[in-house]
Amino acid sequence: MSEKKKIALIAGDGIGPEVTGEAVAALEALGDRFVFVRLTAGGAAIDATGCPLPPDTLAAAREAGAVLLGAVGGPRWDGLPGHSRPERALLELRSGLGVFANLRPACLMPQLVGSCPLREAVLKAGSPDGAARFDLLIVRELTGGLYFGEQGRRGDAAFDTESYSRREIERVLRAGYDAALRRRRKLCVVDKANVLETSRLWREVAGTVARAYPAVETSFMYVDNCAMQLIRAPAQFDVIVTSNLFGDILSDEASALTGSIGMLPSASLGACKDGRPVGLYEPIHGSAPDLAGTNRANPLGAILSAALMLRYSFGMETEAARLEAAVASALDAGLRTPDIASGVPAEKVVGTKEMGAAVRSFLPPPSPTASAGPPVA
Ligand code: IPM
Ligand code: MG
């Protein structure tokens, strides 16, 4: 009997508790195989302790097999200075866990073509099989760059700085190349090498790393062009590797093309612990304070993040695939949260809870042999 997997759960603020609630219920529906350690971070932690990421939270997150997070932030804390805002919790968690590679898959599911703002001809452009779809992966550097550079005020001026070392660039590029080997073997380094020195270093390092991956076709693109290419012909991309800030921006853009930002999961991975990468899993959307408590948030990004957690942190590929298939089945059945509803009669617009329940209804019952041993927490 295998030990139960220990998951640090940080529900966070706004819609965070609602969407992670559905992700937890989906995981539990896979069998009694997980122990959840509930931790506080973000605005909720500021209210409780005055600190966005209490030291106990980081310590317990490090202890767990993986961290599942909802979202942090909200207007209540907007007036706080930078270092004590809820978002700080996210940055400190990412850096404290050392999760430098943020995988953000953006895939247009066939059921949601009607919710994609692009015309069919645009979706077909550059598509390997001519079909109106795209399936790309943004690998965003997550623990360096502008988010972690020196910043401050000098008189009437303010500054933020970007700095990248060869080591930081190389390790995230390797994560991108490894992913490309499992996909369509195309990798595009996105930067602003016509202006930024850090980008020129990215290109230099990419030139070296690319030699270790001869099976992968490497290309380079400026970020402004990439922003345009994503809405001109998204199917041309397989894996995009880019810096922290560019990845933040491009992944929001790519998410809108999948129908809604509520659909997208993410996996943030670091170096291996016990043979598996340390992982932080979160939907890419924010805390959406306007939707909080209204049962209107889309829980699919959080549920799909849980699937990534099963795959990458726990090696539970079968269960990950089951969860993803259950999400596809709920969409096949016509269920839509308001953000992905396109208004056709075949759709049934449902709330967060109903969508979560629908996903669970499409999961096979857990097999008795799947039950795990005593809790580890
Ligand atoms: C994201 C978010 C965060 C980021 C914010 C909330 C700090 O936009 O995960 O993409 O910029 O990284
Ligand atoms: Mg973002």
Side-chain angles (χ1 to χ4, degrees):
M1 272 206 298
S2 59
E3 254 185 3
K4 284 193 187 182
K5 309 289 186 198
K6 187 164 155 187
I7 300 170
L9 180 70
I10 304 179
D13 310 315
I15 59 170
E18 291 162 72
V19 297
T20 51
E22 297 310 319
V24 167
L27 288 167
E28 284 177 332
L30 290 169
D32 185 19
R33 312 177 66 175
F34 309 99
V35 180
F36 296 91
V37 183
R38 288 170 195 275
L39 306 173
T40 319
I46 295 173
D47 291 349
T49 69
C51 170
L53 185 69
D56 291 359
T57 296
L58 180 58
R62 278 206 182 108
E63 270 290 293
V67 184
L68 184 62
L69 187 140
V72 297
R76 282 185 48 205
W77 305 282
D78 274 351
L80 294 173
H83 62 274
S84 43
R85 289 176 62 101
E87 290 80 1
R88 205 53 236 162
L90 215 44
L91 304 197
E92 285 176 15
L93 200 56
R94 291 168 177 172
S95 121
L97 293 170
V99 288
F100 56 83
N102 180 216
L103 275 44
R104 298 190 161 190
C107 174
L108 178 60
M109 301 180 72
Q111 301 90 337
L112 297 184
V113 171
S115 305
C116 170
L118 301 181
R119 277 181 288 119
E120 204 175 316
V122 173
L123 288 171
K124 286 182 174 169
S127 166
D129 58 1
R133 62 162 173 235
F134 62 87
D135 175 5
L136 60 92
L137 172 70
I138 297 179
V139 179
R140 168 187 178 192
E141 198 291 323
L142 202 62
T143 53
L146 259 177
Y147 277 59
F148 292 92
E150 201 190 326
Q151 55 178 207
R153 298 282 175 114
R154 247 180 237 127
D156 275 348
F159 62 94
D160 295 277
T161 51
E162 172 154 287
S163 152
Y164 270 116
S165 67
R166 278 181 190 277
R167 179 180 155 267
E168 286 175 305
I169 300 167
E170 190 183 322
R171 64 188 184 180
V172 71
L173 279 167
R174 284 188 180 278
Y177 276 102
D178 289 341
L181 285 177
R182 298 188 296 267
R183 298 173 47 97
R184 298 197 311 279
R185 303 187 167 207
K186 280 172 61 179
L187 183 143
C188 182
V189 178
V190 171
D191 60 29
K192 190 69 188 171
N194 48 348
V195 177
L196 302 178
E197 197 54 35
T198 41
S199 290
R200 290 189 275 269
L201 183 62
W202 272 72
R203 287 205 179 197
E204 222 176 284
V205 176
T208 312
V209 177
R211 285 203 281 280
Y213 294 88
V216 178
E217 178 195 321
T218 304
S219 60
F220 297 91
M221 194 180 276
Y222 297 144
V223 64
D224 46 352
N225 185 23
C226 181
M228 181 175 68
Q229 293 299 332
L230 275 172
I231 53 167
R232 275 196 65 239
Q236 69 185 284
F237 295 106
D238 180 19
V239 176
I240 289 174
V241 187
T242 192
S243 66
N244 205 339
L245 183 70
F246 295 162
D248 178 48
I249 298 167
L250 294 175
S251 60
D252 265 33
E253 183 186 359
S255 79
L257 305 181
T258 69
S260 162
I261 194 169
M263 290 300 299
L264 286 212
S266 86
S268 305
L269 306 177
C272 286
K273 173 184 153 192
D274 308 329
R276 297 243 164 243
V278 173
L280 167 65
Y281 300 86
E282 47 179 324
I284 80 154
H285 62 70
S287 60
D290 53 320
L291 293 185
T294 67
N295 194 36
R296 280 189 300 149
N298 184 345
L300 298 182
I303 293 174
L304 293 170
S305 298
L308 294 182
M309 177 177 74
L310 296 176
R311 175 170 297 129
Y312 293 121
S313 281
F314 300 142
M316 297 167 75
E317 176 56 40
T318 309
E319 290 79 358
R322 278 186 188 148
L323 214 44
E324 289 166 347
V327 167
S329 299
L331 295 172
D332 282 337
L335 299 180
R336 302 283 187 273
T337 43
D339 57 316
I340 48 172
S342 67
V344 299
E347 292 175 353
K348 182 171 180 233
V349 181
V350 296
T352 314
K353 291 196 177 87
E354 294 71 28
M355 183 59 102
V359 170
R360 295 195 293 282
S361 77
F362 287 109
L363 286 172
S367 65
T369 51
S371 74
V376 291

PDB file of all heavy atoms in Angstrom, residues 88 91 143-154 157-164 168 198:
ATOM      1  N   ARG A  88       2.826  39.460  -2.863  1.00  0.00           N
ATOM      2  CA  ARG A  88       4.161  39.173  -2.338  1.00  0.00           C
ATOM      3  C   ARG A  88       4.249  37.702  -1.918  1.00  0.00           C
ATOM      4  O   ARG A  88       5.278  37.051  -2.047  1.00  0.00           O
ATOM      5  CB  ARG A  88       4.367  40.097  -1.136  1.00  0.00           C
ATOM      6  CG  ARG A  88       5.722  40.483  -0.690  1.00  0.00           C
ATOM      7  CD  ARG A  88       6.608  41.067  -1.737  1.00  0.00           C
ATOM      8  NE  ARG A  88       7.818  40.253  -1.772  1.00  0.00           N
ATOM      9  CZ  ARG A  88       8.687  40.221  -2.740  1.00  0.00           C
ATOM     10  NH1 ARG A  88       8.539  41.003  -3.791  1.00  0.00           N
ATOM     11  NH2 ARG A  88       9.737  39.457  -2.673  1.00  0.00           N
ATOM     12  N   LEU A  91       5.106  35.555  -4.828  1.00  0.00           N
ATOM     13  CA  LEU A  91       6.504  35.670  -5.255  1.00  0.00           C
ATOM     14  C   LEU A  91       7.426  34.968  -4.270  1.00  0.00           C
ATOM     15  O   LEU A  91       8.351  34.258  -4.658  1.00  0.00           O
ATOM     16  CB  LEU A  91       6.911  37.146  -5.404  1.00  0.00           C
ATOM     17  CG  LEU A  91       6.056  37.998  -6.353  1.00  0.00           C
ATOM     18  CD1 LEU A  91       6.788  39.287  -6.724  1.00  0.00           C
ATOM     19  CD2 LEU A  91       5.696  37.255  -7.622  1.00  0.00           C
ATOM     20  N   THR A 143      11.425  32.677 -11.198  1.00  0.00           N
ATOM     21  CA  THR A 143      12.031  33.127  -9.935  1.00  0.00           C
ATOM     22  C   THR A 143      13.117  34.178 -10.151  1.00  0.00           C
ATOM     23  O   THR A 143      13.948  34.405  -9.271  1.00  0.00           O
ATOM     24  CB  THR A 143      12.612  31.929  -9.151  1.00  0.00           C
ATOM     25  OG1 THR A 143      13.482  31.191 -10.017  1.00  0.00           O
ATOM     26  CG2 THR A 143      11.520  31.020  -8.639  1.00  0.00           C
ATOM     27  N   GLY A 144      13.130  34.789 -11.335  1.00  0.00           N
ATOM     28  CA  GLY A 144      14.144  35.821 -11.593  1.00  0.00           C
ATOM     29  C   GLY A 144      13.566  36.961 -12.405  1.00  0.00           C
ATOM     30  O   GLY A 144      12.351  37.168 -12.451  1.00  0.00           O
ATOM     31  N   GLY A 145      14.444  37.681 -13.066  1.00  0.00           N
ATOM     32  CA  GLY A 145      14.004  38.766 -13.947  1.00  0.00           C
ATOM     33  C   GLY A 145      13.440  39.956 -13.206  1.00  0.00           C
ATOM     34  O   GLY A 145      13.731  40.187 -12.033  1.00  0.00           O
ATOM     35  N   LEU A 146      12.591  40.692 -13.898  1.00  0.00           N
ATOM     36  CA  LEU A 146      12.071  41.960 -13.357  1.00  0.00           C
ATOM     37  C   LEU A 146      11.322  41.798 -12.038  1.00  0.00           C
ATOM     38  O   LEU A 146      11.276  42.704 -11.224  1.00  0.00           O
ATOM     39  CB  LEU A 146      11.109  42.589 -14.371  1.00  0.00           C
ATOM     40  CG  LEU A 146      11.663  43.721 -15.226  1.00  0.00           C
ATOM     41  CD1 LEU A 146      10.604  44.167 -16.228  1.00  0.00           C
ATOM     42  CD2 LEU A 146      12.102  44.912 -14.381  1.00  0.00           C
ATOM     43  N   TYR A 147      10.709  40.623 -11.841  1.00  0.00           N
ATOM     44  CA  TYR A 147       9.943  40.402 -10.617  1.00  0.00           C
ATOM     45  C   TYR A 147      10.821  40.376  -9.376  1.00  0.00           C
ATOM     46  O   TYR A 147      10.331  40.567  -8.266  1.00  0.00           O
ATOM     47  CB  TYR A 147       9.177  39.076 -10.700  1.00  0.00           C
ATOM     48  CG  TYR A 147       7.870  39.141 -11.435  1.00  0.00           C
ATOM     49  CD1 TYR A 147       7.817  39.549 -12.759  1.00  0.00           C
ATOM     50  CD2 TYR A 147       6.688  38.777 -10.816  1.00  0.00           C
ATOM     51  CE1 TYR A 147       6.620  39.589 -13.435  1.00  0.00           C
ATOM     52  CE2 TYR A 147       5.484  38.815 -11.481  1.00  0.00           C
ATOM     53  CZ  TYR A 147       5.454  39.227 -12.803  1.00  0.00           C
ATOM     54  OH  TYR A 147       4.263  39.262 -13.464  1.00  0.00           O
ATOM     55  N   PHE A 148      12.095  40.048  -9.577  1.00  0.00           N
ATOM     56  CA  PHE A 148      12.963  39.874  -8.406  1.00  0.00           C
ATOM     57  C   PHE A 148      14.174  40.796  -8.438  1.00  0.00           C
ATOM     58  O   PHE A 148      15.055  40.683  -7.596  1.00  0.00           O
ATOM     59  CB  PHE A 148      13.398  38.404  -8.285  1.00  0.00           C
ATOM     60  CG  PHE A 148      12.254  37.484  -7.940  1.00  0.00           C
ATOM     61  CD1 PHE A 148      11.517  36.855  -8.941  1.00  0.00           C
ATOM     62  CD2 PHE A 148      11.871  37.286  -6.624  1.00  0.00           C
ATOM     63  CE1 PHE A 148      10.443  36.031  -8.631  1.00  0.00           C
ATOM     64  CE2 PHE A 148      10.806  36.463  -6.297  1.00  0.00           C
ATOM     65  CZ  PHE A 148      10.080  35.836  -7.303  1.00  0.00           C
ATOM     66  N   GLY A 149      14.236  41.703  -9.408  1.00  0.00           N
ATOM     67  CA  GLY A 149      15.381  42.608  -9.498  1.00  0.00           C
ATOM     68  C   GLY A 149      15.272  43.736  -8.482  1.00  0.00           C
ATOM     69  O   GLY A 149      14.248  43.897  -7.809  1.00  0.00           O
ATOM     70  N   GLU A 150      16.335  44.499  -8.429  1.00  0.00           N
ATOM     71  CA  GLU A 150      16.339  45.631  -7.500  1.00  0.00           C
ATOM     72  C   GLU A 150      15.272  46.636  -7.941  1.00  0.00           C
ATOM     73  O   GLU A 150      15.131  46.916  -9.139  1.00  0.00           O
ATOM     74  CB  GLU A 150      17.722  46.281  -7.552  1.00  0.00           C
ATOM     75  CG  GLU A 150      18.033  47.106  -6.322  1.00  0.00           C
ATOM     76  CD  GLU A 150      19.307  47.921  -6.513  1.00  0.00           C
ATOM     77  OE1 GLU A 150      20.223  47.423  -7.205  1.00  0.00           O
ATOM     78  OE2 GLU A 150      19.355  49.046  -5.989  1.00  0.00           O
ATOM     79  N   GLN A 151      14.517  47.142  -6.998  1.00  0.00           N
ATOM     80  CA  GLN A 151      13.514  48.149  -7.344  1.00  0.00           C
ATOM     81  C   GLN A 151      13.459  49.209  -6.257  1.00  0.00           C
ATOM     82  O   GLN A 151      13.932  48.992  -5.144  1.00  0.00           O
ATOM     83  CB  GLN A 151      12.133  47.526  -7.572  1.00  0.00           C
ATOM     84  CG  GLN A 151      11.608  46.691  -6.433  1.00  0.00           C
ATOM     85  CD  GLN A 151      10.195  46.125  -6.718  1.00  0.00           C
ATOM     86  OE1 GLN A 151       9.476  45.888  -5.791  1.00  0.00           O
ATOM     87  NE2 GLN A 151       9.805  45.927  -7.945  1.00  0.00           N
ATOM     88  N   GLY A 152      12.943  50.343  -6.598  1.00  0.00           N
ATOM     89  CA  GLY A 152      12.843  51.376  -5.571  1.00  0.00           C
ATOM     90  C   GLY A 152      12.477  52.736  -6.119  1.00  0.00           C
ATOM     91  O   GLY A 152      12.034  52.869  -7.274  1.00  0.00           O
ATOM     92  N   ARG A 153      12.640  53.720  -5.290  1.00  0.00           N
ATOM     93  CA  ARG A 153      12.328  55.113  -5.637  1.00  0.00           C
ATOM     94  C   ARG A 153      13.568  55.949  -5.428  1.00  0.00           C
ATOM     95  O   ARG A 153      14.330  55.719  -4.490  1.00  0.00           O
ATOM     96  CB  ARG A 153      11.247  55.651  -4.702  1.00  0.00           C
ATOM     97  CG  ARG A 153       9.914  54.955  -4.763  1.00  0.00           C
ATOM     98  CD  ARG A 153       9.147  55.408  -5.987  1.00  0.00           C
ATOM     99  NE  ARG A 153       7.915  54.651  -6.111  1.00  0.00           N
ATOM    100  CZ  ARG A 153       6.707  55.205  -5.987  1.00  0.00           C
ATOM    101  NH1 ARG A 153       6.563  56.486  -5.741  1.00  0.00           N
ATOM    102  NH2 ARG A 153       5.642  54.449  -6.127  1.00  0.00           N
ATOM    103  N   ARG A 154      13.771  56.903  -6.325  1.00  0.00           N
ATOM    104  CA  ARG A 154      14.812  57.907  -6.137  1.00  0.00           C
ATOM    105  C   ARG A 154      14.176  59.248  -6.431  1.00  0.00           C
ATOM    106  O   ARG A 154      13.903  59.565  -7.579  1.00  0.00           O
ATOM    107  CB  ARG A 154      15.975  57.656  -7.110  1.00  0.00           C
ATOM    108  CG  ARG A 154      17.252  57.234  -6.406  1.00  0.00           C
ATOM    109  CD  ARG A 154      18.386  56.998  -7.393  1.00  0.00           C
ATOM    110  NE  ARG A 154      18.931  55.639  -7.280  1.00  0.00           N
ATOM    111  CZ  ARG A 154      19.066  54.792  -8.291  1.00  0.00           C
ATOM    112  NH1 ARG A 154      18.703  55.135  -9.515  1.00  0.00           N
ATOM    113  NH2 ARG A 154      19.579  53.600  -8.090  1.00  0.00           N
ATOM    114  N   ALA A 157      11.510  59.661  -9.101  1.00  0.00           N
ATOM    115  CA  ALA A 157      11.593  58.560 -10.070  1.00  0.00           C
ATOM    116  C   ALA A 157      11.461  57.210  -9.364  1.00  0.00           C
ATOM    117  O   ALA A 157      11.673  57.103  -8.163  1.00  0.00           O
ATOM    118  CB  ALA A 157      12.935  58.632 -10.799  1.00  0.00           C
ATOM    119  N   ALA A 158      11.085  56.210 -10.150  1.00  0.00           N
ATOM    120  CA  ALA A 158      11.020  54.837  -9.630  1.00  0.00           C
ATOM    121  C   ALA A 158      11.762  53.934 -10.600  1.00  0.00           C
ATOM    122  O   ALA A 158      11.846  54.242 -11.788  1.00  0.00           O
ATOM    123  CB  ALA A 158       9.570  54.388  -9.505  1.00  0.00           C
ATOM    124  N   PHE A 159      12.302  52.828 -10.103  1.00  0.00           N
ATOM    125  CA  PHE A 159      13.013  51.917 -11.013  1.00  0.00           C
ATOM    126  C   PHE A 159      12.778  50.453 -10.652  1.00  0.00           C
ATOM    127  O   PHE A 159      12.580  50.100  -9.492  1.00  0.00           O
ATOM    128  CB  PHE A 159      14.522  52.215 -11.033  1.00  0.00           C
ATOM    129  CG  PHE A 159      15.185  52.034  -9.684  1.00  0.00           C
ATOM    130  CD1 PHE A 159      15.782  50.837  -9.346  1.00  0.00           C
ATOM    131  CD2 PHE A 159      15.185  53.067  -8.755  1.00  0.00           C
ATOM    132  CE1 PHE A 159      16.368  50.653  -8.106  1.00  0.00           C
ATOM    133  CE2 PHE A 159      15.763  52.889  -7.504  1.00  0.00           C
ATOM    134  CZ  PHE A 159      16.361  51.684  -7.176  1.00  0.00           C
ATOM    135  N   ASP A 160      12.777  49.626 -11.687  1.00  0.00           N
ATOM    136  CA  ASP A 160      12.752  48.169 -11.560  1.00  0.00           C
ATOM    137  C   ASP A 160      13.873  47.670 -12.458  1.00  0.00           C
ATOM    138  O   ASP A 160      14.072  48.226 -13.534  1.00  0.00           O
ATOM    139  CB  ASP A 160      11.418  47.606 -12.076  1.00  0.00           C
ATOM    140  CG  ASP A 160      10.252  48.058 -11.227  1.00  0.00           C
ATOM    141  OD1 ASP A 160      10.007  47.441 -10.193  1.00  0.00           O
ATOM    142  OD2 ASP A 160       9.592  49.058 -11.613  1.00  0.00           O
ATOM    143  N   THR A 161      14.557  46.634 -12.051  1.00  0.00           N
ATOM    144  CA  THR A 161      15.675  46.185 -12.881  1.00  0.00           C
ATOM    145  C   THR A 161      15.527  44.706 -13.241  1.00  0.00           C
ATOM    146  O   THR A 161      14.985  43.923 -12.470  1.00  0.00           O
ATOM    147  CB  THR A 161      17.023  46.369 -12.156  1.00  0.00           C
ATOM    148  OG1 THR A 161      16.918  45.775 -10.863  1.00  0.00           O
ATOM    149  CG2 THR A 161      17.373  47.828 -12.006  1.00  0.00           C
ATOM    150  N   GLU A 162      16.036  44.364 -14.421  1.00  0.00           N
ATOM    151  CA  GLU A 162      16.021  42.959 -14.830  1.00  0.00           C
ATOM    152  C   GLU A 162      17.447  42.445 -14.888  1.00  0.00           C
ATOM    153  O   GLU A 162      18.311  43.078 -15.484  1.00  0.00           O
ATOM    154  CB  GLU A 162      15.367  42.799 -16.197  1.00  0.00           C
ATOM    155  CG  GLU A 162      15.514  41.384 -16.708  1.00  0.00           C
ATOM    156  CD  GLU A 162      14.440  40.964 -17.671  1.00  0.00           C
ATOM    157  OE1 GLU A 162      13.314  40.746 -17.231  1.00  0.00           O
ATOM    158  OE2 GLU A 162      14.747  40.866 -18.865  1.00  0.00           O
ATOM    159  N   SER A 163      17.655  41.312 -14.272  1.00  0.00           N
ATOM    160  CA  SER A 163      18.972  40.700 -14.309  1.00  0.00           C
ATOM    161  C   SER A 163      18.774  39.193 -14.417  1.00  0.00           C
ATOM    162  O   SER A 163      17.898  38.629 -13.747  1.00  0.00           O
ATOM    163  CB  SER A 163      19.699  41.100 -13.011  1.00  0.00           C
ATOM    164  OG  SER A 163      20.635  40.131 -12.662  1.00  0.00           O
ATOM    165  N   TYR A 164      19.523  38.557 -15.313  1.00  0.00           N
ATOM    166  CA  TYR A 164      19.468  37.100 -15.447  1.00  0.00           C
ATOM    167  C   TYR A 164      20.874  36.542 -15.512  1.00  0.00           C
ATOM    168  O   TYR A 164      21.723  37.082 -16.215  1.00  0.00           O
ATOM    169  CB  TYR A 164      18.708  36.692 -16.723  1.00  0.00           C
ATOM    170  CG  TYR A 164      17.219  36.509 -16.510  1.00  0.00           C
ATOM    171  CD1 TYR A 164      16.292  37.318 -17.138  1.00  0.00           C
ATOM    172  CD2 TYR A 164      16.756  35.499 -15.676  1.00  0.00           C
ATOM    173  CE1 TYR A 164      14.927  37.147 -16.928  1.00  0.00           C
ATOM    174  CE2 TYR A 164      15.398  35.324 -15.460  1.00  0.00           C
ATOM    175  CZ  TYR A 164      14.491  36.141 -16.088  1.00  0.00           C
ATOM    176  OH  TYR A 164      13.149  35.952 -15.867  1.00  0.00           O
ATOM    177  N   GLU A 168      20.420  30.729 -14.482  1.00  0.00           N
ATOM    178  CA  GLU A 168      18.951  30.874 -14.436  1.00  0.00           C
ATOM    179  C   GLU A 168      18.332  30.642 -15.814  1.00  0.00           C
ATOM    180  O   GLU A 168      17.252  30.057 -15.935  1.00  0.00           O
ATOM    181  CB  GLU A 168      18.584  32.294 -13.976  1.00  0.00           C
ATOM    182  CG  GLU A 168      18.794  32.567 -12.498  1.00  0.00           C
ATOM    183  CD  GLU A 168      18.514  34.026 -12.172  1.00  0.00           C
ATOM    184  OE1 GLU A 168      19.129  34.922 -12.807  1.00  0.00           O
ATOM    185  OE2 GLU A 168      17.692  34.283 -11.298  1.00  0.00           O
ATOM    186  N   THR A 198      19.733  41.584 -21.284  1.00  0.00           N
ATOM    187  CA  THR A 198      19.363  40.275 -20.731  1.00  0.00           C
ATOM    188  C   THR A 198      18.873  39.356 -21.854  1.00  0.00           C
ATOM    189  O   THR A 198      19.198  38.174 -21.886  1.00  0.00           O
ATOM    190  CB  THR A 198      18.224  40.409 -19.684  1.00  0.00           C
ATOM    191  OG1 THR A 198      17.274  41.351 -20.150  1.00  0.00           O
ATOM    192  CG2 THR A 198      18.752  40.847 -18.333  1.00  0.00           C
TER     193      THR A 198
END
